[in-house]
Amino acid sequence: MPDLKAQGDTADGWVSVKRGKGSRQLCSTPRQPLPDRHITVQTLEAKYDRDMQTWKQSACRKELRQILDKKQPDEGWQIKEAVCFASGSFSRDNWEAQRRSMLQFVAFIDTAQYIEAGSSDTIGLFAQEPMYTPVDVEFLSGMGIKVSTLRAVRYNMESESMMFELFMDMNLDAALNMVTIGPKLFIGAALTSRLAQFSKHLTDAEIREYLQIPAEMATPPQSDKLCRVASRLKDDFEVQRLFYKFPRFDEDPKVFEGLNIYWKEPRELEEG
């Protein structure tokens, strides 16, 4: 299961995650609106219920379930945890962002519940978003969801997972780690496009961040090597998986626009 405990806060508000010889900053978030002081946990609970009903009545939900049924492995999904990355805050002073975030989140919860209903496994629910407010955290915790406000993708997640990655602004390390984890079901937008970008070009700043090079030290010629790593992992991810575009949500087509549904496809053994 994901370890949602912080391993060390840096002076600028980043969270460092230990791996091997050092620690690494994984993803950044832009400055966000202040929390809306009029929004309470009860406000979010009511909005969650309304948006869940909207989602349940949608053709998008029906089509998504048809895809999951069609592509379910013979042995079942065998998913033990579902993780939502970058949902955005439900209670900051930005009405449009609140609305989009909650609709995306109810789709995540409903999908996890649907997979769990067809399985003998209980699915643990996790949500990670640096911009969650205390009200967001209390709301999610009240639903039995484990919450992290870290700016880091955890390294010890299980491969028996479903990931919802909602347009996350990820850096190289975050992208490489999501691929390395290898979730059984991945619904997201940014991962493959970011890997494609990194496979073509890495800036000096991106190389320094990934290799943890102090500002006073010269940058080693690592760009080509890291680009090849990103390219290889992108190819491996896509070779092992097929995908559909996320169905259109007619009630607001922009909410899920750009998301893809990736699943692992068994590879036929070659005769020889």
Side-chain angles (χ1 to χ4, degrees):
M1 289 186 179
D3 177 7
L4 298 180
K5 295 181 181 179
Q7 296 193 19
D9 293 332
T10 59
D12 59 359
W14 288 94
V15 174
S16 299
V17 180
K18 300 296 183 183
R19 185 181 74 172
K21 296 181 180 180
S23 61
R24 196 163 288 160
Q25 300 170 352
L26 295 188
C27 51
S28 62
T29 51
R31 186 178 299 277
Q32 294 289 318
L34 293 173
D36 186 333
R37 59 186 180 86
H38 300 292
I39 293 180
T40 64
V41 172
Q42 291 71 31
T43 306
L44 296 184
E45 290 172 343
K47 181 167 179 54
Y48 175 89
D49 290 340
R50 290 194 302 271
D51 285 354
M52 182 62 82
Q53 288 306 309
T54 299
W55 168 249
K56 286 183 174 180
Q57 295 167 10
S58 70
C60 179
R61 180 201 194 223
K62 181 179 180 180
E63 188 175 348
L64 174 60
R65 290 190 165 198
Q66 289 172 342
I67 293 172
L68 294 176
D69 290 343
K70 181 179 180 180
K71 296 304 177 182
Q72 177 178 275
D74 292 340
E75 68 276 13
W77 285 109
Q78 296 185 339
I79 287 173
K80 297 180 180 179
E81 61 189 36
V83 187
C84 183
F85 291 110
S87 71
S89 171
F90 313 114
S91 62
R92 290 186 181 273
D93 193 11
N94 184 324
W95 182 86
E96 183 59 32
Q98 291 174 19
R99 178 175 175 277
R100 182 178 61 249
S101 293
M102 187 63 81
L103 281 167
Q104 291 170 345
F105 194 77
V106 298
F108 161 72
I109 294 294
D110 185 64
T111 302
Q113 291 174 342
Y114 183 65
I115 292 174
E116 184 180 62
S119 169
S120 59
D121 295 318
T122 299
I123 296 180
L125 297 175
F126 303 86
Q128 183 166 341
E129 167 57 70
M131 291 299 105
Y132 282 151
T133 67
V135 172
D136 293 330
V137 173
E138 184 178 352
F139 161 67
L140 294 170
S141 298
M143 297 172 61
I145 299 170
K146 291 188 177 181
V147 184
S148 172
T149 57
L150 303 186
R151 293 172 173 82
V153 176
R154 306 309 300 181
Y155 291 98
N156 56 343
M157 291 173 55
E158 299 179 5
S159 60
E160 294 83 6
S161 62
M162 176 185 80
M163 285 189 193
F164 254 55
E165 172 264 300
L166 296 168
F167 309 97
M168 182 176 174
D169 183 16
M170 66 181 72
N171 68 7
L172 176 62
D173 212 5
L176 296 186
N177 276 279
M178 280 192 174
V179 173
T180 302
I181 290 165
K184 289 194 171 183
L185 182 63
F186 180 85
I187 299 177
L191 178 58
T192 55
S193 61
R194 291 293 279 166
L195 283 173
Q197 177 184 346
F198 293 137
S199 69
K200 296 176 182 178
H201 177 70
L202 284 166
T203 66
D204 182 77
E206 288 165 343
I207 296 171
R208 285 181 174 279
E209 178 184 19
Y210 184 79
L211 298 176
Q212 291 288 281
I213 299 171
E216 64 274 11
M217 292 180 60
T219 305
Q222 294 281 354
S223 180
D224 288 347
K225 180 179 179 180
L226 291 177
C227 285
R228 288 196 297 272
V229 170
S231 179
R232 178 177 58 80
L233 288 178
K234 174 182 177 294
D235 290 344
D236 289 347
F237 184 85
E238 293 179 337
V239 164
Q240 296 172 16
R241 292 169 175 80
L242 296 177
F243 76 93
Y244 281 127
K245 290 184 177 180
F246 199 95
R248 176 185 170 90
F249 184 61
D250 291 328
E251 290 77 357
D252 186 344
K254 292 185 178 181
V255 171
F256 300 107
E257 186 178 32
L259 292 178
N260 291 323
I261 307 162
Y262 292 88
W263 66 92
K264 288 187 175 181
E265 189 73 7
R267 304 176 70 176
E268 297 292 336
L269 294 177
E270 296 183 1
E271 296 183 0

